[in-house]
Amino acid sequence: MSHNGSKPTEKPKFAMYWASSCGGCEIAVLNIGPKILDVDAAFDVVFWPVAMDAKYKDVEAMDDGSILLTLFNGGIRNDENERLANLLRRKSQILVAFGSCAIEGCIPGLANFSSQDQIFDAVYASVSTDNAGGIRPKTHTTVPEGILHIPEFYPVLKTLDQVVDVDYYMPGCPPESHQIATVIDLVLAVLEGKAELPPKGAVIGAGDSTCCDECPRQRNVKKITKFVRIHEMDAIDPDLCLLEQGILCNGMATRSGCGALCPQHNAPCIGCYGPAEGVVDYGARIMSALASVIDSRDPDEIERILDGIPDPAGSFYRFNLAHSLLRTGKVG
Amino acid sequence: MNPSQDEKERIGVYVCHCGSNIAGVVDVEDVAVWAGDKLADEGVVVSRDYKFMCSSLGQEMIEQDIAEQGLTRVVVAACSPHLHEKTFRGACARAGLNPYLSELVSIREQVSWVHTDKQKATAKAKAMIAGGVERVIEQEALEPLKVPIHPATLVVGGGIAGIQAALEIAESGSLVYLVEREPSIGGHMAQFDKTFPTLDCAACILTPKMVDAGSHPNIELYTWSEVERVDGSVGNFTVTIKKKPRYVNEELCTGCGICVEKCTRNVIDGEFEAGLGYRKAIYTPFPQAVPKYPVLDTENCTYFEKGKCKACQLLCPTGAIDFEQTEQYITVTVGNIILATGFDLFDARRVPQYGYGRLKNVFTSLEFERLSNAAGPTNGEIVLRDGVTKPESVGIIHCVGSRDRNYNNYCSVICCMQSLKFAHLVKERTGATVYNFYIDMRTAYKDYDEFYQHVMEEGTIFVRGRVAEVTDAARRSGEEDKLIIQVEDTLAGRQRRIPVDMVVLSAGLEPRRDAKQVAHTFGISCSANGWFIEKHPKLDPIATMTEGVYIAGCVQGPKDIPSSVAQGAAAAARVISRINKGEIELEPIRATVDAHKCSGCRICNDLCPFNAIVWHEDEMVTEINHALCQGCGTCVAACPAGAISGTGFSNEQVMSQIEGLLMFEQPVDLLAMAV
Ligand SMILES: Cc1cc2nc3c(=O)[nH]c(=O)nc-3n(C[C@H](O)[C@H](O)[C@H](O)COP(=O)(O)OP(=O)(O)OC[C@H]3O[C@@H](n4cnc5c(N)ncnc54)[C@H](O)[C@@H]3O)c2cc1C
Ligand code: SF4
Ligand code: SF4
Ligand code: SF4
Ligand code: SF4
């Protein structure tokens, strides 16, 4: 990667942006500890709303391609998100979809199961909302001082690569700090000419197997006879695969990289590292895997076993609905 | 993204009329013109329709285009891959194109045969061809897998079908291991007296074959044995045979029978004599048993019960009785396997209204076979349960447990003829009045209907109707001490009560109770009711979807002796031709695990119907044995890590086919048609 337009003495430029996200990814980056000082030493941080003051117009004024590395987290929920995605794409040499929201929609993407009206009803007109005037957001509002603009809320949440070209994907909700540190080390090594960048489109900061690969639990040939939720269990065997104990663990379908954090703490993997390499639809994958090992041939019993799955849509598409083949909860 | 013109594949599309099979419902000319035009961008350079693509002229057309137009991919839209994939691959191969660079799109089975609206069917055929074109672009050149064939064969089940198969192969000069679960070979046929329609004596025609099988230098007989385990695949199966202890040393035993004679324990013979006769605790099931060595039944042996007796051991002149014998495991290598494990009789107790087990003089068909057998418990006298009284009237009920939604929906094929045989035997031996109660008379096949006419002429009374009940509750005079058969005579159009002395239930044929387990051991499949599934119901009834495993006789479905023998011989012929060829070519469609991606979650481990999946505990990864894998795709779909890919069914191939299907806006809603 050549840094066209930057003078040799200048440090390469770094940006980070949050679109529709919770802010966890930003915390994860700050959480890399002393390594953050290496970032500061090696890069000139030009744009990072959570950490420093900056204006969109400052970014607009930069030369195209003048930012070496942009970590973009959050999905594309409104036209402001989309505008920033396009802007940062133009200004950056390397654009990384950072974290589950940018890659696959994550929790905000679950709103794709509902229509825009349903979402607004839930937010502005449910019992928990004190909104006597029944006010709904509008893109233009005239006030004495002039016209106010707020971003237009899209019918569905899109992922970053559904609106712009993405160079790399860094999964996790949020990406684990040790993985962020590894990626930063890699970038630094590339800058020093000691390493090569992975091929475009690669997933970085993660493994190439699934969570089970990093999970220390004992596992046997799978035969599922029931699904239970953790609070329904008297005790969880600390050494046996959770799925074999009836707990819906998504580890088998979720990309490795986190170190099997959740299963190691008696909690099932819920899939935040996204699908494994080459998997087109995470939810479909996990459903066909589970369906293959339900241990019964009796349709009624199979029905009973499946009824034990808590919130199937949420369990199988929790992180990836927006990027799945379904994309939304509705066809047409 | 369309690749530039010169790196694009050169694709030929051929749309078959299949006479009027396809052309009657799909506008094939329109489809061919459309594909040449609309799919040109995808690389289609030739698009033709033809009356019969599978004819030699149709195939030559493909060959010529490959040669003259430099085709690099071929798409044929015709019948199903099952039928003609090989044909068109052959055409490609003859013209020098790797045969796996072709694709057969099924517009007959999946379009013309299932739709009636011509416009919609034509639109669907177009979409499917577009899918086929997109898919064929992603196809890879493959080489068939060549596997050497071990010349020995395993035959499981020593009924008439298995015996026939074993003899044919042995005669051709190759070694056969014949494994039979019971103490003797012979199967059901050994229990019969006469066989329809010719009334040959069953023993007279069966025992010579049994003796041949027992003494043939190329047949190694394992009776009182079962197959415990099968590893490997076509050409090279490793089979573990469990030989149950007979407690008789076969090398020393001369078959003199002194042990049997001297044994002090009489046991009701629930197997061979169907509960009507006795045997000893040490026994051979019948005099002509092959092999001749007796078997000791430990459950009824006084020595095993009480710790003393050993009369047999004391009196055996050659010291062959060995109470210390244990199970033996023998491992053999074979190239092919024939399964001929036969059928079980439907348990007539399951039809309580017919009273079997409750009403003394209700008999099953197998009991009747033993009653009428000259070597049976009554020396062939047809008598009531008391052992002396000759019946003056007998009712024979057809279709017990067959053609009945409550039990088995299918026809058991042999029961009509067998019931006619019984009617004849009763007439001949007792002169009794005989009633046959039937639903429909099924006497197809050579000489069968003549036999029926003969039995009618003998005076058997035929009542058409399903029997409602057999009861001993007399309501009218003349019914006292009789079994009364309550039936709606559908020809006479009235209810009838017919009192008889004896009732024979022609129970149907059912799959062996352990059929599913046996199928699993050999990696084949059963239909929902348990018969082993053949590769093709018409064109390949003796092969299975598992290469190297064949089926013959009643395992495949109910049938008579001539058909069982024919299947045994047919399966043998297939095996002999394999052995002669020395090797076979297998489809290179296989699943492969990327060990790097496999997380060892073990979801797939128990799914393979062909037992091809191997788990390596030490490395915590799964591997697929390519010799066993048949490319069915089950594990590919199941692997949550996407670590398993199937040749010919890669993500790219499947996704591009779907993209092709959806590529064109269709004038009709194809999704709606799918419902
Ligand atoms: C009452 C009755 C009368 C009949 N009369 C006639 C007739 O007159 N004419 C006619 O053409 N047909 C008749 N049939 C049909 C005839 O019985 C069958 O067509 C024939 O027996 C089928 O032969 P088979 O070898 O397929 O099966 P079987 O005769 O059932 O033989 C199968 C053999 O496999 C063995 N076996 C089973 N499982 C295993 C295992 N797991 N491992 C090892 N060995 C195993 C069994 O012990 C048996 O020896 C009659 C059937 C019945 C029920
Ligand atoms: S507990 Fe979850 S992550 Fe661990 S082996 Fe089982 S399925 Fe895999
Ligand atoms: S175990 Fe699963 S849910 Fe938990 S952090 Fe890892 S990938 Fe995310
Ligand atoms: S594709 Fe998988 S399940 Fe099917 S035969 Fe091969 S290994 Fe077995
Ligand atoms: S299902 Fe896939 S990841 Fe799991 S053990 Fe099998 S090959 Fe490995």
Side-chain angles (χ1 to χ4, degrees):
Chain A
M1 183 71 54
S2 65
H3 320 145
N4 294 342
S6 51
K7 291 176 209 114
T9 48
E10 257 180 31
K11 286 196 286 185
K13 297 193 169 69
F14 170 90
M16 182 157 187
Y17 183 71
W18 51 5
S20 178
S21 67
C22 71
C25 286
E26 318 272 344
I27 308 293
V29 173
L30 294 172
N31 208 20
I32 61 179
K35 186 135 266 138
I36 198 81
L37 299 176
D38 294 349
V39 177
D40 187 53
F43 288 99
D44 182 7
V45 180
V46 293
F47 181 63
W48 189 356
V50 80
M52 58 181 271
D53 188 27
K55 297 282 180 273
Y56 293 169
K57 63 174 175 9
D58 300 337
V59 182
E60 276 155 13
M62 295 177 194
D63 288 342
D64 284 358
S66 60
I67 306 174
L68 176 68
L69 176 66
T70 295
L71 305 181
F72 191 106
N73 70 83
I76 310 301
R77 177 79 268 185
N78 58 36
D79 65 351
E80 181 189 21
N81 298 156
E82 182 159 8
R83 187 157 49 86
L84 262 290
N86 279 307
L87 178 64
L88 287 166
R89 169 70 281 181
R90 231 179 23 251
K91 304 296 171 191
S92 316
Q93 291 178 34
I94 304 173
L95 178 67
V96 178
F98 188 88
S100 176
C101 291
I103 299 176
E104 46 177 1
C106 197
I107 307 297
L110 274 177
N112 287 7
F113 278 123
S114 311
S115 69
Q116 194 170 341
D117 278 344
Q118 287 169 326
I119 296 169
F120 282 175
D121 282 348
V123 176
Y124 297 102
S126 62
V127 276
S128 63
T129 313
D130 186 4
N131 181 5
I135 293 166
R136 291 288 174 114
K138 284 185 276 182
T139 50
H140 303 279
T141 307
T142 313
V143 289
E145 295 81 0
I147 299 175
L148 281 180
H149 297 273
I150 64 163
E152 182 198 342
F153 187 88
Y154 286 162
V156 293
L157 179 131
K158 290 183 267 188
T159 65
L160 184 60
D161 71 358
Q162 285 166 358
V163 299
V164 295
D165 191 31
V166 168
D167 297 308
Y168 299 111
Y169 299 85
M170 187 152 179
C173 177
E176 277 304 302
S177 296
H178 75 273
Q179 293 285 16
I180 302 173
T182 317
V183 168
I184 289 186
D185 281 342
L186 171 72
V187 177
L188 295 177
V190 172
L191 287 177
E192 290 165 22
K194 290 184 191 149
E196 294 237 344
L197 281 173
K200 186 176 149 96
V203 171
I204 55 175
D208 46 16
S209 183
T210 66
C211 186
C212 297
D213 200 37
E214 300 177 324
C215 176
R217 287 174 183 266
Q218 164 70 36
R219 57 210 96 125
N220 306 293
V221 171
K222 297 279 183 292
K223 284 192 185 307
I224 297 182
T225 52
K226 61 166 186 209
F227 287 104
V228 286
R229 303 186 71 172
I230 292 183
H231 65 263
E232 295 164 348
M233 295 188 63
D234 295 334
I236 296 173
D237 181 335
D239 302 319
L240 180 66
C241 166
L242 293 170
L243 194 56
E244 288 167 40
Q245 300 182 55
I247 300 166
L248 178 56
C249 179
N250 286 7
M252 54 184 181
T254 306
R255 188 184 278 272
S256 53
C258 68
L261 271 188
C262 301
Q264 297 215 50
H265 293 86
N266 269 358
C269 169
I270 55 175
C272 79
Y273 260 68
E277 187 73 43
V279 169
V280 182
D281 190 299
Y282 176 94
R285 266 282 149 192
I286 200 163
M287 284 189 277
S288 83
L290 290 176
S292 305
V293 294
I294 301 284
D295 192 21
S296 171
R297 286 181 182 272
D298 167 25
D300 295 333
E301 196 191 346
I302 293 173
E303 198 71 37
R304 256 195 317 281
I305 296 173
L306 294 181
D307 278 346
I309 295 177
D311 177 23
S315 295
F316 303 138
Y317 287 100
R318 184 182 275 121
F319 292 99
N320 62 97
L321 178 65
H323 205 265
S324 69
L325 289 175
L326 296 175
R327 301 244 172 128
T328 73
K330 291 186 182 56
V331 182
Chain B
M1 270 187 293
N2 271 324
S4 72
Q5 204 58 41
D6 41 318
E7 57 187 86
K8 243 197 256 177
E9 300 299 344
R10 295 179 62 78
I11 307 168
V13 172
Y14 301 87
V15 187
C16 185
H17 296 217
C18 194
S20 63
N21 267 312
I22 297 172
V25 184
V26 173
D27 185 344
V28 282
E29 286 97 358
D30 177 43
V31 172
V33 171
W34 175 90
D37 174 25
K38 287 289 193 310
L39 299 175
D41 276 355
E42 310 307 309
V44 173
V45 290
V46 182
S47 181
R48 306 182 194 278
D49 63 280
Y50 189 68
K51 270 239 165 304
F52 290 105
M53 279 310 300
C54 59
S55 67
S56 47
L57 288 178
Q59 295 182 56
E60 279 161 21
M61 193 155 98
I62 299 177
E63 289 168 49
Q64 200 174 346
D65 284 349
I66 293 173
E68 289 170 7
Q69 313 259 358
L71 298 185
T72 59
R73 295 286 190 279
V74 166
V75 174
V76 183
C79 47
S80 84
H82 239 5
L83 218 61
H84 272 310
E85 189 168 66
K86 270 215 175 101
T87 311
F88 300 119
R89 281 186 179 166
C92 293
R94 282 194 298 280
L97 182 67
N98 184 289
Y100 295 93
L101 298 177
S102 64
E103 174 77 12
L104 180 47
V105 177
S106 173
I107 60 165
R108 191 180 75 177
E109 281 78 351
Q110 294 183 16
V111 182
S112 68
W113 278 357
V114 290
H115 298 302
T116 46
D117 182 315
K118 194 157 186 172
Q119 190 205 350
K120 292 180 182 176
T122 303
K124 182 172 168 187
K126 288 175 183 171
M128 287 183 52
I129 290 171
V133 165
E134 290 303 305
R135 180 189 164 85
V136 85
I137 296 172
E138 301 290 334
Q139 224 78 300
E140 306 159 287
L142 301 172
E143 291 304 325
L145 300 168
K146 289 206 168 106
V147 179
I149 299 288
H150 190 284
T153 306
L154 172 73
V155 176
V156 186
I160 187 60
I163 291 175
Q164 184 70 29
L167 282 174
E168 301 268 1
I169 297 170
E171 275 300 294
S172 81
S174 296
L175 183 64
V176 178
Y177 302 99
L178 177 55
V179 176
E180 165 60 53
R181 176 150 73 185
E182 297 298 327
S184 169
I185 55 172
H188 280 101
M189 192 177 164
Q191 292 172 283
F192 310 156
D193 181 41
K194 296 276 190 292
T195 56
F196 62 73
T198 45
L199 298 173
D200 306 78
C201 143
C204 311
I205 56 176
L206 176 65
T207 47
K209 282 190 184 281
M210 289 168 57
V211 171
D212 279 358
S215 59
H216 203 292
N218 283 336
I219 297 181
E220 265 186 40
L221 192 56
Y222 291 94
T223 51
W224 204 234
S225 301
E226 276 175 61
V227 172
E228 186 79 3
R229 206 188 139 95
V230 180
D231 294 300
S233 56
V234 58
N236 190 21
F237 292 103
T238 306
V239 180
T240 310
I241 301 168
K242 179 171 92 180
K243 208 162 177 265
K244 294 176 273 188
R246 273 188 130 90
Y247 303 101
V248 171
N249 182 330
E250 292 173 20
E251 299 201 335
L252 298 177
C253 173
T254 59
C256 68
I258 292 179
C259 57
V260 178
E261 204 181 304
K262 300 296 177 191
C263 174
T264 51
R265 281 295 283 275
N266 267 334
V267 183
I268 292 181
D269 182 355
E271 294 98 40
F272 192 78
E273 292 296 1
L276 293 182
Y278 291 90
R279 61 163 167 78
K280 296 293 185 61
I282 187 163
Y283 68 102
T284 43
F286 52 102
Q288 306 93 325
V290 171
K292 60 195 172 194
Y293 319 117
V295 167
L296 190 148
D297 161 13
T298 53
E299 269 176 37
N300 289 296
C301 165
T302 312
Y303 172 70
F304 275 91
E305 241 171 42
K306 306 212 172 97
K308 49 180 184 255
C309 176
K310 293 197 174 182
C312 51
Q313 194 178 45
L314 280 171
L315 295 164
C316 172
T318 60
I321 309 289
D322 176 4
F323 287 103
E324 307 305 317
Q325 235 180 34
T326 48
E327 278 169 2
Q328 252 182 294
Y329 291 88
I330 298 121
T331 307
V332 299
T333 305
V334 298
N336 293 283
I337 296 173
I338 298 174
L339 297 177
T341 49
F343 64 93
D344 273 329
L345 198 69
F346 173 80
D347 179 3
R349 281 186 187 79
R350 287 169 59 198
V351 193
Q353 64 271 30
Y354 289 173
Y356 179 69
R358 180 165 49 85
L359 302 173
K360 207 163 74 202
N361 287 315
V362 177
F363 291 81
T364 66
S365 44
L366 265 184
E367 285 176 331
F368 185 87
E369 289 287 356
R370 294 314 299 155
L371 265 191
S372 61
N373 195 305
T378 60
N379 300 320
E381 294 278 338
I382 297 172
V383 287
L384 298 184
R385 206 68 74 176
D386 64 9
V388 289
T389 317
K390 280 203 173 171
E392 284 171 10
S393 50
V394 177
I396 300 169
I397 304 179
H398 296 213
C399 295
V400 176
S402 309
R403 307 181 68 203
D404 184 334
R405 235 171 291 171
N406 299 315
Y407 307 104
N408 294 311
N409 230 342
Y410 54 80
C411 166
S412 290
V413 179
I414 56 104
C415 323
C416 279
M417 282 302 291
Q418 162 224 279
S419 306
L420 292 172
K421 173 175 81 176
F422 293 172
H424 167 79
L425 292 175
V426 173
K427 271 268 176 245
E428 183 187 74
R429 309 255 169 100
T430 67
T433 310
V434 184
Y435 300 89
N436 271 44
F437 300 90
Y438 68 101
I439 310 177
D440 295 294
M441 196 55 89
R442 305 237 154 137
T443 53
Y445 305 127
K446 193 171 177 179
D447 294 338
Y448 283 15
D449 208 63
E450 291 90 323
F451 185 71
Y452 173 29
Q453 291 161 28
H454 173 71
V455 173
M456 270 197 284
E457 282 158 15
E458 284 178 339
T460 291
I461 301 159
F462 288 89
V463 179
R464 185 172 184 272
R466 188 188 282 283
V467 170
E469 189 188 17
V470 177
T471 172
D472 56 357
R475 284 217 308 251
R476 305 180 192 151
S477 73
E479 290 185 354
E480 302 85 1
D481 300 326
K482 298 271 183 186
L483 294 169
I484 303 104
I485 297 175
Q486 169 83 46
V487 62
E488 183 192 351
D489 183 333
T490 57
L491 292 180
R494 64 186 168 92
Q495 289 289 335
R496 292 177 69 177
R497 285 172 66 84
I498 299 174
V500 293
D501 296 327
M502 177 190 236
V503 169
V504 182
L505 303 179
S506 281
L509 272 44
E510 280 196 331
R512 289 277 177 195
R513 298 189 215 307
D514 60 351
K516 292 221 160 80
Q517 202 187 317
V518 172
H520 186 76
T521 304
F522 291 92
I524 64 168
S525 345
C526 296
S527 63
N529 42 37
W531 303 110
F532 290 176
I533 299 180
E534 59 281 53
K535 189 164 187 178
H536 191 285
K538 288 164 240 170
L539 301 180
D540 211 349
I542 50 108
T544 66
M545 293 305 271
T546 301
E547 280 295 346
V549 179
Y550 301 91
I551 52 179
C554 287
V555 267
Q556 183 251 1
K559 57 180 60 64
D560 57 11
I561 294 167
S563 307
S564 301
V565 170
Q567 284 202 337
R574 188 70 67 82
V575 169
I576 294 166
S577 78
R578 282 274 164 85
I579 296 171
N580 287 347
K581 221 173 160 195
E583 66 173 19
I584 58 159
E585 288 192 348
L586 296 181
E587 276 277 281
I589 306 297
R590 293 291 181 266
T592 309
V593 177
D594 179 342
H596 219 62
K597 286 186 180 178
C598 170
S599 67
C601 71
R602 307 198 67 181
I603 287 278
C604 63
N605 283 190
D606 204 25
L607 299 180
C608 178
F610 307 99
N611 301 333
I613 298 179
V614 191
W615 166 247
H616 298 294
E617 182 77 43
D618 46 343
E619 295 157 51
M620 301 280 279
V621 289
T622 287
E623 197 193 337
I624 288 170
N625 176 346
H626 273 190
L628 282 177
C629 169
Q630 308 280 315
C632 74
T634 305
C635 64
V636 182
C639 174
I644 312 182
S645 58
T647 340
F649 293 89
S650 66
N651 263 353
E652 293 72 32
Q653 285 160 339
V654 174
M655 293 311 280
S656 59
Q657 181 165 18
I658 295 173
E659 266 166 36
L661 278 164
L662 303 174
M663 200 152 71
F664 293 93
E665 189 87 29
Q666 295 293 345
V668 285
D669 187 352
L670 294 172
L671 275 179
M673 277 179 77
V675 207

